[in-house]
Amino acid sequence: MSERTENVVCTFCGCLCDDLVVEHEEGRIVKVLKACANGQGHFREYDPSPRLPRLEGRDVSWDEAYSAAGEILRSSRSPLIYGLSSAVTEAQRRAVELADRLGAVVDSTSSVCHGPTGLAMQGVGEPTCTLGEVRNRADLLLFWGCNPLVSHPRHFARYSTAKGRLTPEGRKSRTLIVVDVRPTAATKAADIFVQVEQGRDYEVLTALRALVQGKAMERPSVGGVAREALVDLAERFKNCRYGVAFMGMGLTMTRGRDLNVAELFSLVSDLNDYTRFSVIPMRGHGNVSGADQVTTWQCGFPFAVSFARGYPQYGPGEFTAVDFIARGDADAAVILASDPGAHFPRKAAERLREIPTIVIDPAESLSASQATLWLPTGVAGIDTAGSSYRMDGVALRLRPFLKAQRPSDEEVLVRLIEEVIR
Amino acid sequence: MIRIRGGKVYDPANGVNGEIRDVWIDGGKVVAAPAVAPADVEIIEAEGMIVFPGGVDMHTHVAGSKENVGRKLRPEDHRDHLRSRKGVLRSGSGYTVPSTFLSGYLYAEMGYTTVMEAASAPLLARHAHEELDDLPMVDKGLLVTMGNNQFIMDCIAKGEKERLRHYVSWLLEATRSYAIKIVNPGGVENWKWGRNVAALDDEVIGFEGVTPRKILEGLAEASRDLGLPHGIHVHGLNLGQPRSARTTVETVAGLDGRGSHLCHLQFLSYQGKEEGHAFRSGARSVAEAVKTVRDLTFDVGQVVFGQATTMTSDGPLEFALHQMTGHKWVNDDVEAESGGGVLPVLYDRKSRIGAEQWMTGLELFLLVDDPWRMALTTDHPNGGPFFCYPQVIRLLMDRDYRAEVLASLPPKALEGSLLPDLMREYDLFEIAIITRAAPARILGLTEKGHLGVGADGDVAIYDRVNVDGTACRCSRFQSCRRALSRVRHLVKGGRWVVRDGQIVEEVKGRTFYVAPGFDASLEDHLKDYFERTYTVAFDNYAMVDEELPLGEVIPCRRRNGSF
Ligand SMILES: [Zn+2]
């Protein structure tokens, strides 16, 4: 007899769609409704059956695993705790605590996606809003360096082009502008596609700021965009009712990085002299936004923090995981809910294989298969509970609908802390 | 059992003014002296020391979305303000916006045991509670903003008082909150159109007939009918503007008491152009207005010279500050409910505006002679960090010190000012009122802020001898700034958590909230409303008990309407 659970939250991406329907039978998921392809995979690929930890290639009991973990952590002089972004807030809180108690470096996947966004915010601020304001108010949408149709497939339907209080006609109530270096599915869906030359976003943003402020532009084009097109954009921005810009890794991970983002944030700030305008970074992982939040509330800084001196030190470029590992500064690592073995640049990934690693992950990722110790945990929102932060900072409760047969990330981290402070 | 022996006790709620007596604590509560003391009683020697109830901060921003934006925004605030982990205690950083564990420690070291986080949008309450859970050493509560809530404004537009009351009740319980916060009613909704409100009868765009006045009245009535322990908590119109004193006087008259609380009133007590000045204190007119009504309280929101981080749900205000200062600015519009902003500021004693703001706060303290109607706050971190309270206390207790600071201000600011002529000095009894007894009473927390039998076992013990063992050098103990700056001992919930100035145990506090009850038929209506308006499903909105293991419901005294 299959059971049905409604309003299930999907934690695959920063959209945290919370309207899914999951049918399950005898402790297994049989059908997922309303989810996008990414979300389908998130639910369907997880096997919730109990699994023993694996230490150096052999299955061991949980007790043995915890004492081995304790051994690794206690004998490390410069440990790294990395990942966090697919774990729930409760686990992230424990991960930062573990780092504090160990004197470790803690960093989240923010540092390889929206780290520059954080730096930009610290430089110039960030006028933002929740996704419901986009739904209810926004009549102009600007997507810059991101492709929601691939990375956040339900963003349009649920948020940015949904029908709302002042947007009764949904998509038709809006002008949709996409800026990218090449045509994508999103640019095809747009009313206006602005193609920028690779690596010239900063110049284009600066030109737009100048035009918005009423300055004349003499050059016929900037960054491959014609003057007329830029003038038209600037006018549209100033004359909309409520504009919202979304930005992604096309700005954060290309030439200019945090400077690109700061220029966009400044443009959005400037526009509030004329109308209302907000910006929302398109955060990727389900709770990467929460990782920033937790690290910030517990120690004051959003990512790239070292506790080696006993107090928190902020060091993007220094304590960001890729740099820290590639330099050979880490002598052990705890990897929570992420797969740096698969995603880090080659040098850092190689270094990672040379040091003892403890991977806490529901799935046997590449990092897990290469780890000294793999601790297989449950998935929040399927068989364990917790909270997650949407890309706009709204926290949702993840309710389990299957009976837990594995420990949660939080439970595992609590045990690691006990091992460390013993 | 704990016996605090031989201290000079200040317990204004029970009329105790500096009497030498013992305080007994058992099972987390203050108890009567036992006929025979048990053999294992712990004795805290308090001879020559001051014994106060644990401090109550009724308006502070220490947890939640805006506070955390402030932390993230300002790495420059944290670099020189660090604390190392020590034993079980966590490390932390931050001056105007300290991290959560550090905030809890700093409150405990100052002798405070209860704090109210003064503003979260309901949609972001879960976040605030998660941070409050990482704020150790204190009991706490959360106020949620309702003054720009579209459901509420719809109810007001349609005259649906009963539905409004049920909704407020539902919302308080769903967000596990303690009271109704109102911030610039209508102004934040208008800000989403790039506008604001300037007067009580301005219209809210898109809500026919709804005005700031009607929002205040509607929510004050709902709060009363539900019998909430703490009345509406109001951040009024025109905050920070030179016309704010006038609006405040009108607001006070309009509310006519009704158990309302006006927060950080200093920031709403300025006068300007119409009165012939660019920017001056309007404390006199505001104090007069407050005195004429009963059943109305306020906290001051004193400014402290130095760095601060402004953070408020008043979105248009933060934007105005951004336009004025050019400082980095964060805004956050929250769907259907609220908004907010964050911006760093500096209160410069060399600037006329800074000096006026500083004087305005002190004038309010000194002009309103009934200390039971007010609470000491800096609206942390808007007026300055909470750990500067001892400095404010010294300013209130010591007019020589006040004169010293006044002498350092721009002479032009002093011309025609009231403050230099105010000779009043607070005594320790009055300080105990505005930092303990009054805020607890205003909040309706009957077991806080006093040391009578049945009160929570929260006791702060201050020593004239500094915690490092050196004797305090000043001759006037009563007005010693340091005397109240750091406890020698602190008992929290019956546990001796600070000994000789050192935190020896980290304790978790409880979270107080209200649950006055509502008509279940409201939920069907809300489901539909959520579908049309929100981006969160109705079923995923409300918090559940397991999210708040140390939650505690404070009872309401319903006056009206069975549901
Ligand atoms: Zn405040």
Side-chain angles (χ1 to χ4, degrees), chain B residues 59-61 118-119 181 235 263-264 311 379-380 382:
Chain B
H59 186 112
T60 178
H61 303 273
K181 175 78 181 290
H235 154 153
C263 56
H264 41 71
M311 53 182 65
D379 188 18
H380 165 86
N382 284 289

Side-chain angles (χ1 to χ4, degrees), chain A residues 18 133 135 242 387 389 399, chain B residues 130 192 333 534 537 540:
Chain A
D18 73 336
E133 294 293 18
R135 173 184 174 178
Y242 193 102
S387 88
Y389 286 65
R399 292 167 287 129
Chain B
E130 290 193 327
K192 294 174 182 178
D333 296 333
Y534 275 88
N540 288 323

Side-chain angles (χ1 to χ4, degrees), chain A residues 268-305:
Chain A
V268 171
S269 254
D270 294 349
L271 282 163
N272 282 282
D273 290 342
Y274 306 93
T275 182
R276 288 306 319 283
F277 224 101
S278 294
V279 58
I280 300 179
M282 297 283 272
R283 303 306 304 265
H285 295 282
N287 196 23
V288 65
S289 175
D292 286 5
Q293 298 280 7
V294 168
T295 315
T296 301
W297 87 55
Q298 290 206 353
C299 71
F301 309 105
F303 61 97
V305 175

Side-chain angles (χ1 to χ4, degrees), chain A residues 44-117:
Chain A
R44 302 298 295 271
E45 282 160 23
Y46 173 57
D47 172 3
S49 46
R51 177 115 189 33
L52 283 176
R54 207 180 46 219
L55 176 65
E56 286 163 346
R58 64 190 174 90
D59 285 357
V60 296
S61 72
W62 281 94
D63 282 341
E64 200 178 330
Y66 290 131
S67 60
E71 196 63 41
I72 293 170
L73 294 176
R74 283 192 304 269
S75 56
S76 163
R77 294 180 58 214
S78 181
L80 166 73
I81 294 171
Y82 175 74
L84 281 69
S85 56
S86 293
V88 289
T89 315
E90 288 79 355
Q92 294 169 341
R93 286 161 66 182
R94 294 299 181 177
V96 179
E97 178 182 354
L98 178 63
D100 193 358
R101 301 210 184 279
L102 271 175
V105 164
V106 64
D107 189 32
S108 76
T109 64
S110 267
S111 73
V112 294
C113 59
H114 278 276
T117 307

